[in-house]
Amino acid sequence: MPLLRAHYRIIQLISNEGGFGRTYLAEDIDRMNEPCVVKQFRPQVQGTAALNKSIQLFKQEAKRLQEMGHHPQIPTLYGYFEEGNYLYLVQEFIDGQDLLQELEQQGAFSEKQIREMLLDILPVLKFVHDKNVIHRDIKPENIMRCRLTRGGKRELVLIDFGAAKQLTAIKATQRGTKIGSFGYTSYEQMQGGEVYPASDLFSLGVTCFHLLSNVNPHLLFLDYGYDWVCQWRKYLKYSISSNLVNILDKLLQKNVDYRYHSVDEVIHDLMRSPQNLTPKISVAPSRSNNPFKITSSAVTLVRNNFSNQVLAGSTTLILLLFGYSYFKHANLNNFSISNLTLSPNQPIFRKKFALANTLKGHSKSVASVTISPNGEMLASGSLDNTIKLWNLNTGQEIYTLKGHSKSVGAVAISPDGQILASGSWDNTIRLWNLKKADKVRTLIGHSSQVVSVVFSPNGEILASSSLDNTIKLWNLKTGQEIHNLSGHSNWVVSIAFSPDGQMLASGSWDNTVKLWNIKTGDKIRTLTGHSNHVNSVAFSPDGQMLASGSWDNTVKLWNVNTGQEIRTLHGHSKAVYSVRFSPDMQTLASGGMDNTIKLWNPNTGRERYSLEGHFNNVVSLAFSGDGRTLASGSQDFNVKIWRIE
């Protein structure tokens, strides 16, 4: 990569936020190669006016960061600029580790450590709030401890203001827009985008709880919504003073009116002399136990009320998230958050998918799912660097494959069910023997993250695509590279073989789909029509049709032989991440950033119904060979199994 602004040299990728940008470690050659952090952002907007507005907001954000950067415990902003259709922020590099890393290394924090952390970070948060800014994403990962000491101690630094908003902008630009992290985010922020200083204080309280208990609040949130905050003490493994208990109780109030409203209030209570220790608290029961009692009449009432709202088309994020624990533990047959929501004026499709199981085990987002040809096994690749193999019938985990040093972005199983391929952000592809759970070989050749892998129908070729803008074809017997397909001008994030194995389709962030000749490696044609990044491509079982899902919120269907667009499917309210045809070609499934899976009639383009149940983006879909099972992988860390009733 050339020098940015003629003096920032990119060293390595630190994180990839998908459509929002990337963060790099760099060095400033004008400062004697001093390390710095470069944040790259490309606004996902359409039209000149929207682009100009996006740039204006970016500059306003940079200005706020510059104002806050004068605090010694906030990274200094070195500059911001636009170059090559991207926007950039350059900030001070903080040499240290975050509090989550400390937690993983040392275990639960002591009360003394929590008090020291609060006394160190609260004045920083007060400085931020006094600037009329709310951080909106306080969590252990965003609090770093410097390796170098300042004044005899290793200070804490508050990082990642990318989500910061001015206090005057109380409402988000779209109702329901959420910036934050599940489990840490306050009720009012999650409900409708409202933010106050008290919202940051709630997140700080959750951070204290996480460090004290070593229990992930994200998992508690998925099980119990916000009900867990009323019983947070159960999860502590040792006693803490009543003074700290009272402080955390007030920080963790679901209702913002009962919470601390300013940093000064917290500091005032914190500086009081610690009182007697509370009685020792026993370890919490396993997450599978139900801490809530629900009467049969209450279940009936909830069932009826929720059913009426679903049929009225008023399913809300609040019911979906915060009522989840009741529906889950009540085990309502044929009705749960997994049930379909009928599209307006659409007849009920005779093949109804219902939630059959939720596979939990990954500690980070699930990036890819695939089902074995015999329909007995499911593989999932995750940003936690692992691949998990599951018994599709029972939902039990069979084993976990470890070996990649970074996130696993793609998984695929060979047509004979013997080999699993995994593509990773460590730039490699690994082939695994599924019977022995052993690595067969590693394929090396891509210069950036591998985000898609797929086997040819005859099982002799593996195709892989990468953020290096290329596609590679590999001979599976020898492990040798056959072809390197180049032509896309941006990341190639999805690939698919045609059913006859003669053609490969590729979807790219250059907004196009390309078709390639497998034998020669030549490009056949380019399909244009999407107004934003293409995230997924899939051939119909007869090979005559191609589906593509995009950041423009649409699914397009194309005639493979002519390259002409057949129709555009509108229904998702946000980007479409994944598209898949059912084996009988009667259904097209699409998953997206609106957390839903939509099922379409590909022949008419009409939406049949939506599957709801995931709490975050649905990024990967897979049908079983008989078409009766659909698997979905999500950034909520879970895999869901849907089956035809």
Side-chain angles (χ1 to χ4, degrees):
M1 180 180 292
L3 293 178
L4 291 172
R5 271 246 167 144
H7 62 104
Y8 296 117
R9 179 184 293 114
I10 300 300
I11 303 300
Q12 68 181 55
L13 181 70
I14 296 177
S15 66
N16 183 356
E17 290 79 36
F20 302 101
R22 293 168 155 187
T23 302
Y24 297 95
L25 174 64
E27 56 186 17
D28 187 342
I29 63 173
D30 287 353
R31 293 173 178 253
M32 300 182 68
N33 296 334
E34 178 182 331
C36 58
V37 172
V38 173
K39 294 189 175 183
Q40 178 195 70
F41 173 64
R42 184 173 188 175
Q44 307 301 318
V45 295
Q46 303 175 27
T48 303
L51 178 61
N52 290 338
K53 181 63 175 178
S54 180
I55 294 174
Q56 178 185 353
L57 292 173
F58 174 81
K59 291 181 178 180
Q60 291 175 358
E61 180 72 15
K63 183 177 180 180
R64 292 197 297 272
L65 288 171
Q66 187 176 33
E67 292 173 351
M68 292 186 297
H70 294 299
H71 193 285
Q73 290 172 261
I74 295 175
T76 300
L77 178 70
Y78 291 152
Y80 61 89
F81 55 90
E82 180 181 2
E83 185 171 305
N85 296 324
Y86 287 89
L87 302 172
Y88 292 91
L89 284 175
V90 183
Q91 291 179 289
E92 175 187 6
F93 170 70
I94 305 299
D95 185 11
Q97 63 179 4
D98 61 52
L99 294 189
L100 182 61
Q101 292 171 319
E102 284 193 9
L103 178 66
E104 292 171 346
Q105 292 175 5
Q106 72 172 37
F109 281 39
S110 67
E111 176 171 349
K112 181 175 182 292
Q113 289 175 303
I114 293 297
R115 288 179 172 275
E116 290 174 347
M117 182 273 289
L118 286 172
L119 290 174
D120 201 1
I121 208 67
L122 280 168
V124 186
L125 199 55
K126 174 178 170 57
F127 175 85
V128 172
H129 291 169
D130 287 347
K131 293 290 185 180
N132 288 335
V133 173
I134 297 178
H135 188 282
R136 292 180 65 130
D137 199 18
I138 304 290
K139 58 184 178 180
E141 296 99 308
N142 285 339
I143 302 175
M144 292 191 65
R145 194 183 304 277
C146 294
R147 296 190 190 280
L148 299 178
T149 60
R150 298 182 183 181
K153 71 171 185 174
R154 295 165 60 202
E155 283 187 334
L156 296 178
V157 177
L158 185 60
I159 66 169
D160 198 357
F161 284 82
K165 299 291 178 185
Q166 288 181 302
L167 282 170
T168 52
I170 300 245
K171 291 282 186 181
T173 55
Q174 296 180 348
R175 180 158 184 83
T177 299
K178 303 175 293 298
I179 300 177
S181 301
F182 282 125
Y184 295 94
T185 305
S186 67
Y187 179 82
E188 67 275 5
Q189 184 176 337
M190 182 71 76
Q191 182 183 24
E194 297 181 356
V195 288
Y196 312 95
S199 306
D200 276 348
L201 294 176
F202 177 87
S203 300
L204 183 61
V206 178
T207 296
C208 292
F209 164 80
H210 190 177
L211 298 174
L212 274 171
S213 65
N214 204 4
V215 175
N216 191 332
H218 179 95
L219 300 179
L220 295 178
F221 179 81
L222 292 181
D223 268 1
Y224 309 132
Y226 282 94
D227 292 319
W228 74 267
V229 299
C230 301
Q231 306 182 48
W232 64 268
R233 307 183 198 185
K234 289 185 177 181
Y235 298 93
L236 298 189
K237 298 176 177 61
Y238 59 86
S239 301
I240 60 175
S241 69
S242 58
N243 172 255
L244 186 56
V245 167
N246 292 336
I247 290 172
L248 292 182
D249 270 339
K250 197 166 182 179
L251 285 171
L252 293 172
Q253 289 294 315
K254 175 182 173 182
N255 189 326
V256 67
D257 294 333
Y258 302 142
R259 207 180 302 148
Y260 286 110
H261 291 95
S262 71
V263 168
D264 287 337
E265 294 176 12
V266 185
I267 294 177
H268 177 268
D269 285 355
L270 191 63
M271 294 305 292
R272 293 179 180 178
S273 298
Q275 301 173 22
N276 295 329
L277 293 179
T278 56
K280 188 167 184 177
I281 304 165
S282 59
V283 179
S286 65
R287 293 176 56 243
S288 61
N289 294 337
N290 179 14
F292 310 108
K293 294 183 179 179
I294 306 176
T295 63
S296 59
S297 60
V299 170
T300 302
L301 178 62
V302 171
R303 183 205 311 264
N304 292 339
N305 287 343
F306 195 80
S307 298
N308 291 336
Q309 293 192 36
V310 169
L311 293 177
S314 61
T315 52
T316 65
L317 179 67
I318 298 171
L319 280 175
L320 183 63
L321 294 180
F322 313 134
Y324 176 52
S325 59
Y326 293 96
F327 297 119
K328 175 185 176 185
H329 295 298
N331 192 23
L332 307 180
N333 293 327
N334 299 322
F335 176 75
S336 68
I337 59 172
S338 67
N339 266 30
L340 58 89
T341 302
L342 295 178
S343 302
N345 305 319
Q346 297 295 323
I348 298 177
F349 185 47
R350 64 184 180 86
K351 293 182 179 180
K352 300 177 185 177
F353 282 88
L355 182 63
N357 211 340
T358 298
L359 311 185
K360 299 183 178 182
H362 284 294
S363 60
K364 291 186 179 180
S365 300
V366 177
S368 181
V369 293
T370 186
I371 297 175
S372 63
N374 62 10
E376 296 179 357
M377 182 186 296
L378 179 139
S380 57
S382 168
L383 302 194
D384 63 13
N385 304 1
T386 71
I387 303 141
K388 289 186 181 292
L389 300 177
W390 312 81
N391 183 309
L392 192 57
N393 296 317
T394 66
Q396 296 299 307
E397 181 181 328
I398 302 172
Y399 43 75
T400 298
L401 302 178
K402 298 180 180 180
H404 285 293
S405 61
K406 293 184 180 180
S407 302
V408 178
V411 290
I413 296 177
S414 62
D416 62 7
Q418 302 298 307
I419 300 294
L420 179 130
S422 57
S424 169
W425 292 9
D426 63 13
N427 304 358
T428 71
I429 301 152
R430 288 179 181 250
L431 302 179
W432 310 80
N433 184 311
L434 284 178
K435 288 186 176 180
K436 298 180 179 179
D438 289 336
K439 185 186 73 172
V440 177
R441 62 165 52 97
T442 300
L443 307 180
I444 300 175
H446 283 293
S447 60
S448 189
Q449 295 100 313
V450 179
V451 292
S452 184
V453 291
V454 60
F455 286 92
S456 63
N458 63 10
E460 295 179 358
I461 297 173
L462 182 79
S464 60
S465 71
S466 167
L467 302 192
D468 63 10
N469 303 358
T470 71
I471 305 151
K472 292 186 181 294
L473 302 180
W474 309 84
N475 183 314
L476 285 173
K477 291 183 179 180
T478 65
Q480 297 299 307
E481 181 181 322
I482 303 171
H483 290 301
N484 181 63
L485 311 182
S486 60
H488 282 293
S489 60
N490 208 327
W491 303 342
V492 185
V493 295
S494 180
I495 49 178
F497 273 104
S498 61
D500 62 8
Q502 301 301 306
M503 190 183 304
L504 187 82
S506 58
S508 168
W509 276 33
D510 63 10
N511 304 0
T512 71
V513 176
K514 293 184 184 293
L515 301 178
W516 308 84
N517 184 304
I518 295 300
K519 288 185 178 180
T520 65
D522 295 330
K523 182 180 70 178
I524 299 173
R525 62 173 55 94
T526 299
L527 311 182
T528 59
H530 281 296
S531 59
N532 213 322
H533 306 324
V534 178
N535 291 324
S536 182
V537 292
F539 279 97
S540 61
D542 64 3
Q544 300 302 303
M545 191 184 301
L546 183 80
S548 58
S550 168
W551 269 88
D552 63 14
N553 306 355
T554 71
V555 177
K556 288 186 182 290
L557 298 177
W558 310 84
N559 183 309
V560 173
N561 296 317
T562 65
Q564 297 299 305
E565 180 183 326
I566 301 172
R567 62 177 57 91
T568 298
L569 311 183
H570 298 275
H572 283 285
S573 60
K574 294 183 180 180
V576 179
Y577 268 133
S578 183
V579 290
R580 289 293 182 271
F581 283 94
S582 63
D584 64 4
M585 243 185 77
Q586 297 303 302
T587 303
L588 175 72
S590 60
M593 283 184 68
D594 56 10
N595 307 351
T596 70
I597 303 162
K598 294 190 178 295
L599 300 179
W600 312 80
N601 182 331
N603 299 309
T604 64
R606 300 182 71 183
E607 180 186 331
R608 285 171 168 154
Y609 53 86
S610 292
L611 300 176
E612 299 181 355
H614 280 295
F615 294 108
N616 210 327
N617 305 333
V618 180
V619 297
S620 183
L621 298 170
F623 276 102
S624 60
D626 61 7
R628 299 188 61 82
T629 299
L630 175 67
S632 56
S634 168
Q635 290 180 352
D636 63 12
F637 302 7
N638 296 329
V639 177
K640 289 188 180 292
I641 307 301
W642 315 81
R643 289 199 173 94
I644 292 178
E645 295 179 320

